[in-house]
């Protein structure tokens, strides 16, 4: 799917999967039908691949491992580019099984909410009642960052003055994982309670990044 819709050719797909051009044509009927099948199945495949990957055993730092699993689904497996292509083509995941997989059965509470819920349970156990919207914002921030990194990671790290390549991208994901963990597991402010002040000689920025 690196070529996008305009570069999708039945012969190249047939060669990739070891089938004849006529077999592909017989199954889908036309190039247009093949593209439609890719559009319909892509969202559901993304959701299923991510669920399976997150269910795998984790080694090392759990937060970093989580980010690497998401990055592998979006980047190495090409779902980030496929998702961008579908969205820019106007193929929104709004109907049927695809819509349910990504957005939920009623159009809300889908794939990202499925990631936010366990995080919110963890935050509630640690701090008591928490704002569910804030937890969802945290997951949304992570999704936006990782999707952008999967699509244009090399360009972005180079633009930021970092050394282009997977090492910089992996270091960024590890940094983002720890920053997200710090935000998610930081005690939420209590209404009416003054925010904690920094210790003498310590800036607020340093305290929040600890």
């Amino acid at each position: 799917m690196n070529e996008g819709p305009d570069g999708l050719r039945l012969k190249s797909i047939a060669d990739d999967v070891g089938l004849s051009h006529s077999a592909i044509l017989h199954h889908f009927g036309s190039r247009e039908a093949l593209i439609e099948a890719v559009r319909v199945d892509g969202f559901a495949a993304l959701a299923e691949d991510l669920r399976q990957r997150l269910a795998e055993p984790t080694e090392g730092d759990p937060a970093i491992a989580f980010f690497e699993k998401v990055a592998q689904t979006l980047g190495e497996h090409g779902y980030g580019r496929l998702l961008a292509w579908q969205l820019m083509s106007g193929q929104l995941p709004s109907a049927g099984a695809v819509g349910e997989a990504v957005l939920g059965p009623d159009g809300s509470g889908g794939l990202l909410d499925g990631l936010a819920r366990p995080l919110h349970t963890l935050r509630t156990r640690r701090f008591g009642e928490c704002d569910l919207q804030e937890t969802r914002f945290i997951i949304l921030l992570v999704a936006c960052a990782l999707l952008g990194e999967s699509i244009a990671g090399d360009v972005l790290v180079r633009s930021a003055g970092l050394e282009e390549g997977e090492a910089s991208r992996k270091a960024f994901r590890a940094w983002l994982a720890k920053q997200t963990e710090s935000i998610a597991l930081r005690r939420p402010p209590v209404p009416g309670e003054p925010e904690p002040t920094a210790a003498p000689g310590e800036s607020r920025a340093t305290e929040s990044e600890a």
Side-chain angles (χ1 to χ4, degrees), residues 179-194:
Q179 295 302 311
T180 303
E181 184 178 46
S182 176
I183 294 171
L185 300 182
R186 184 174 57 202
R187 181 176 177 270
V190 177
E193 181 180 286

Side-chain angles (χ1 to χ4, degrees), residues 118-174:
L119 174 60
H120 190 67
T121 298
L122 177 61
R123 298 182 74 215
T124 301
R125 287 174 180 170
R126 176 168 294 199
F127 303 116
E129 189 64 29
C130 296
D131 185 358
L132 178 57
Q133 176 175 272
E134 182 179 58
T135 306
R136 286 170 168 160
F137 281 165
I138 293 170
I139 293 296
L140 180 59
L141 172 64
V142 169
C144 290
L146 290 182
L147 179 60
E149 190 269 335
S150 73
I151 297 170
D154 285 337
V155 174
L156 294 176
V157 296
R158 184 175 179 180
S159 177
L162 299 168
E163 183 178 351
E164 185 176 350
E166 179 58 25
S168 288
R169 295 174 64 172
K170 188 169 184 177
F172 164 71
R173 293 193 297 265

Side-chain angles (χ1 to χ4, degrees), residues 42-130:
F43 283 114
L46 165 63
E48 182 59 26
D49 187 272
L50 186 56
R51 288 194 183 98
Q52 290 182 4
R53 192 157 301 283
L54 294 180
E56 295 173 354
T58 295
E59 296 182 0
D61 188 289
I64 295 176
F66 170 82
F67 274 61
E68 285 303 308
K69 289 179 179 181
V70 175
Q72 187 173 21
T73 291
L74 294 176
E76 294 181 20
H77 292 191
Y79 284 112
R81 293 188 300 274
L82 178 59
L83 179 59
W85 164 49
Q86 290 175 310
L87 294 175
M88 293 180 69
S89 300
Q91 303 299 320
L92 302 179
S94 57
V98 178
E100 289 193 12
V102 179
L103 301 178
D106 59 354
S108 63
L111 179 61
L112 293 186
D113 191 51
L115 299 176
R117 292 286 179 174
L119 174 60
H120 190 67
T121 298
L122 177 61
R123 298 182 74 215
T124 301
R125 287 174 180 170
R126 176 168 294 199
F127 303 116
E129 189 64 29
C130 296

